[in-house]
Amino acid sequence: MLNMEFDRKVVVRTSEQEWAPSPAGGVVRKPLAREEAERGHATSVVRYEPGASFSRHEHPLGEEILVLEGVFSDENGDYPAGTYIRNPPGSGHAPFSTPGCTLLVKLHQFNERDLSTVRIDTTNTDWLPGIGGLEVMPLHEFEHEHVALVKWPANEKFQPHRHFGGEEIFVLSGEFCDEHGRYSEGTWVRSPHMSQHHPFVEKETIIWVKTGHLPF
């Protein structure tokens, strides 16, 4: 088990991690949280080398992907960098990448009633106005869970707030900050139910963020 204590804050700076092999040749990963070696709850950064593929597999409790670089593919289509994907519980596929790709992947973490299939090209989706100078791109919501991209303009400060059901952040560009630390591009932060912080940035920053989904 890795980082499965949901009542604790976890910070992983993936730029400092080494790649670890997966069962598929040409596919490597950086584990962020994991229940078991090849099953159950898992969050990872995954890299497919050019031409790499993974054998067909099922998603008993869903799969969530954000394509960070390159082009990810399966029998249903090609998904370039910036694509947000949700494959619902009970789905399956045989993924591959012709040019290579890097992904943020979350497995076995859906509510069993959350059956939406989602494909969003975030590079061609409008930003919406958020609080203060923030811009928000909603990606998915189900009951208490909300997923979005958030764009922070330089020198933006946000109000102190708590996270009902926790918060999970992956820094896509720039540097996200709060009173607890500074989180550069590629950093993953998971904060527990009812945690509190006072975030800010000094330069334009884009984060992937999920709230309301952690156990309590």
Side-chain angles (χ1 to χ4, degrees), residues 73-89:
S73 303
D74 62 16
E75 61 269 41
N76 300 307
D78 300 319
Y79 313 107
T83 305
Y84 176 72
I85 300 166
R86 290 179 75 94
N87 295 315

Side-chain angles (χ1 to χ4, degrees), residues 57-216:
H57 56 276
E58 311 302 315
H59 307 124
L61 279 180
E63 176 184 54
E64 182 176 20
I65 295 172
L66 180 63
V67 184
L68 304 175
E69 299 175 348
V71 180
F72 175 70
S73 303
D74 62 16
E75 61 269 41
N76 300 307
D78 300 319
Y79 313 107
T83 305
Y84 176 72
I85 300 166
R86 290 179 75 94
N87 295 315
S91 62
H93 65 166
F96 63 95
S97 180
T98 300
C101 65
T102 305
L103 317 169
L104 175 67
V105 180
K106 296 177 67 62
L107 296 170
H108 207 79
Q109 298 175 42
F110 286 22
N111 185 301
E112 61 185 10
R113 294 179 289 106
D114 184 0
L115 299 176
S116 298
T117 297
V118 178
R119 304 286 188 270
I120 298 174
D121 178 359
T122 67
T123 65
N124 286 305
T125 301
D126 292 335
W127 292 95
L128 304 178
I131 296 173
L134 299 183
E135 294 181 82
V136 179
M137 186 183 299
L139 300 175
H140 184 70
E141 62 179 64
F142 181 82
E143 296 183 350
H144 297 300
E145 177 180 332
H146 296 267
V147 189
L149 299 185
V150 181
K151 183 189 295 185
W152 295 64
N155 300 312
E156 182 73 12
K157 292 181 173 62
F158 196 74
Q159 61 202 24
H161 60 281
R162 290 188 182 275
H163 304 123
F164 180 88
E167 180 186 57
E168 197 170 337
I169 287 171
F170 191 85
V171 182
L172 298 173
S173 65
E175 184 181 55
F176 185 72
C177 310
D178 62 16
E179 67 271 37
H180 307 299
R182 307 175 75 92
Y183 316 104
S184 58
E185 180 178 336
T187 301
W188 177 70
V189 183
R190 193 185 69 204
S191 301
H193 172 60
M194 296 309 290
S195 57
Q196 178 174 321
H197 68 162
H198 189 183
F200 64 94
V201 300
E202 294 175 351
K203 57 185 176 181
E204 182 177 275
T205 297
I206 299 176
I207 62 174
W208 172 92
V209 60
K210 182 199 293 275
T211 59
H213 63 299
L214 297 178
F216 56 88

